[in-house]
Amino acid sequence: MGRRALLPWAGLALAAGLLAGTGAELLPRAHLAWRLLRAAEDPPALARLRLDPVATPERVAGEIDAALAAQDDSLAQSFLELADARGIPVDATRRTQVAALQQVAPLRTARAFAEGALTGQADSGVGLAGAFAADLTGLGDLRDLAREGGHLVRDEPYDSVLLGLASVGLAATAATYAGGLGAVARGGATLLKTAHRSGRLSRPLAASLGRLARESLDPAAMRSMAVAAGRFDLVAARTAARNGIRTGAVTELTALGGRAYALQTRLGTRGVFQVLSLARSPAEVGRAVRLAEGMGPATRAVLKLLDRAALVIGAVLMELVRTVWLALGWCWGLALFCRRLGLLIGRLIWPKPRRGRINAARSLPIAAVASA
């Protein structure tokens, strides 16, 4: 075999090396990217895929220690649940410390309840219960309406989110007392209002909430509520709230409150505040509900480890798509390589006849005719 005949084989060997080198790195990444893209609408599956590189024993131990230092017993317990579910070892000392923290938690209940009822700020389920108790009587909403409504009447800057949620809360309270479906809306409004007052809402979610609050109430009704709240006239304020609510927009607002309320029942107060600080839209809050349904008590730990990546693919979407397309290009290159290899092997088995032999074979019939 001459030097010229070896050139195709040399090119083929070079192509094989390039395919092998790039495929070893590209194909596993493309496989993971494809699985992530398929799980984009399934938050629990998306979270499980992304936990593998971050849920290490060292990271879990460090997060448990941080939760213990912050006296966040529910987050510490969530990491224990995650560790047990994934077979990550946790030493007995940390487990004992988590159990001890859960035992002393009830000692802080009275103060937290009073603070929630008086100020509307809460950092625990007990504090939220205090805020809920004040709102259920109407006094908490009336307090917020009197403060923010006074700014509205005087044409001063006011908190539209707080004013709108207090108005919706008053109307929901009336429905709750009447035996309607206001309990979830009432609890959701209190949750959102408490999170907003405590600065626990992400900026995009707070902007969405403000838009929904403004669209939910007629401006004239808001002023009537503000005036009634200034006189501490609960009945007149509640009537104005019911009459001024716009059905379409308030449906979105109460749906968001319902999702927050569902999260609170599954994750506790700190858990729902954790979600509201990460989510950037009402749709992402809904994805968090699905995550909580799939991950159970380990949800808070998952959110702490993955942040918003537990809810959405986010900014890496284009990178994932590009990786998949590169893998498809690699497969196309592999197909061309196989085609070329098949051609070269075929030529070895069935070599082309030489041009001189072909010309000689063609001249034989002509010579025969001439001799005849």
Side-chain angles (χ1 to χ4, degrees):
M1 184 180 293
R3 182 179 301 178
R4 187 173 180 181
L6 290 176
L7 287 178
W9 291 97
L12 202 62
L14 179 60
L18 289 174
L19 285 172
T22 56
E25 181 180 356
L26 178 62
L27 292 183
R29 289 172 50 200
H31 181 248
L32 177 59
W34 175 247
R35 293 175 66 192
L36 288 172
L37 289 172
R38 290 186 62 187
E41 299 303 322
D42 187 355
L46 183 64
R48 292 187 184 99
L49 287 173
R50 288 185 156 177
L51 277 174
D52 291 334
V54 296
T56 60
E58 296 78 12
R59 178 74 184 275
V60 170
E63 293 291 350
I64 292 175
D65 292 341
L68 290 171
Q71 294 190 329
D72 192 340
D73 56 304
S74 66
L75 181 58
Q77 182 61 37
S78 182
F79 271 103
L80 289 182
E81 297 283 351
L82 179 66
D84 293 340
R86 299 182 67 84
I88 299 174
V90 177
D91 59 86
T93 302
R94 288 189 173 88
R95 293 183 181 273
T96 303
Q97 290 174 339
V98 173
L101 182 61
Q102 291 176 323
Q103 289 177 358
V104 302
L107 299 177
R108 304 189 294 268
T109 56
R111 181 178 178 182
F113 186 91
E115 184 178 357
L118 293 175
T119 67
Q121 295 186 353
D123 194 33
S124 64
V126 177
L128 186 64
F132 183 80
D135 285 350
L136 193 59
T137 61
L139 296 179
D141 291 323
L142 197 65
R143 173 197 62 211
D144 298 329
L145 280 172
R147 181 170 60 245
E148 298 302 326
H151 297 312
L152 173 65
V153 171
R154 294 189 296 270
D155 292 325
E156 298 173 353
Y158 65 94
D159 191 332
S160 61
V161 175
L162 203 58
L163 190 61
L165 289 173
S167 304
V168 172
L170 275 180
T173 300
T176 302
Y177 282 133
L181 299 177
V184 173
R186 169 67 279 171
T190 299
L191 265 171
L192 294 174
K193 191 169 62 169
T194 305
H196 174 65
R197 183 185 285 109
S198 304
R200 304 297 182 88
L201 293 178
S202 67
R203 288 187 178 181
L205 186 60
S208 298
L209 194 56
R211 176 184 58 81
L212 291 175
R214 288 190 297 271
E215 294 175 355
S216 297
L217 292 164
D218 180 74
M222 292 178 67
R223 289 185 175 273
S224 299
M225 281 184 288
V227 172
R231 299 194 308 266
F232 289 95
D233 188 346
L234 180 59
V235 176
R238 189 174 290 163
T239 301
R242 288 200 306 267
N243 295 336
I245 283 181
R246 294 170 175 168
T247 305
V250 82
T251 300
E252 296 182 52
L253 187 61
T254 53
L256 176 59
R259 296 189 191 108
Y261 190 75
L263 283 171
Q264 200 274 335
T265 59
R266 290 179 176 273
L267 306 181
T269 303
R270 289 188 175 184
V272 70
F273 287 170
Q274 183 181 2
V275 170
L276 293 175
S277 67
L278 294 176
R280 296 184 180 178
S281 67
E284 290 188 11
V285 178
R287 294 176 67 86
V289 174
R290 294 172 58 192
L291 178 67
E293 291 171 351
M295 302 301 296
T299 303
R300 287 202 65 195
V302 172
L303 289 170
K304 187 67 171 61
L305 289 174
L306 299 179
D307 205 70
R308 291 189 66 249
L311 302 177
V312 292
I313 289 181
V316 299
L317 175 61
M318 294 306 298
E319 178 64 23
L320 294 177
V321 173
R322 189 176 73 88
T323 302
V324 172
W325 276 108
L326 285 175
L328 292 175
W330 185 92
C331 292
W332 176 253
L334 179 63
L336 294 178
F337 170 82
C338 292
R339 176 181 178 275
R340 183 62 177 169
L341 178 63
L343 288 174
L344 290 180
I345 293 176
R347 288 176 182 175
L348 282 179
I349 299 175
W350 300 287
K352 288 183 178 181
R354 293 181 180 179
R355 187 171 299 176
R357 293 181 181 178
I358 295 175
N359 292 334
R362 288 177 179 176
S363 63
L364 286 175
I366 299 173
V369 171
S371 62

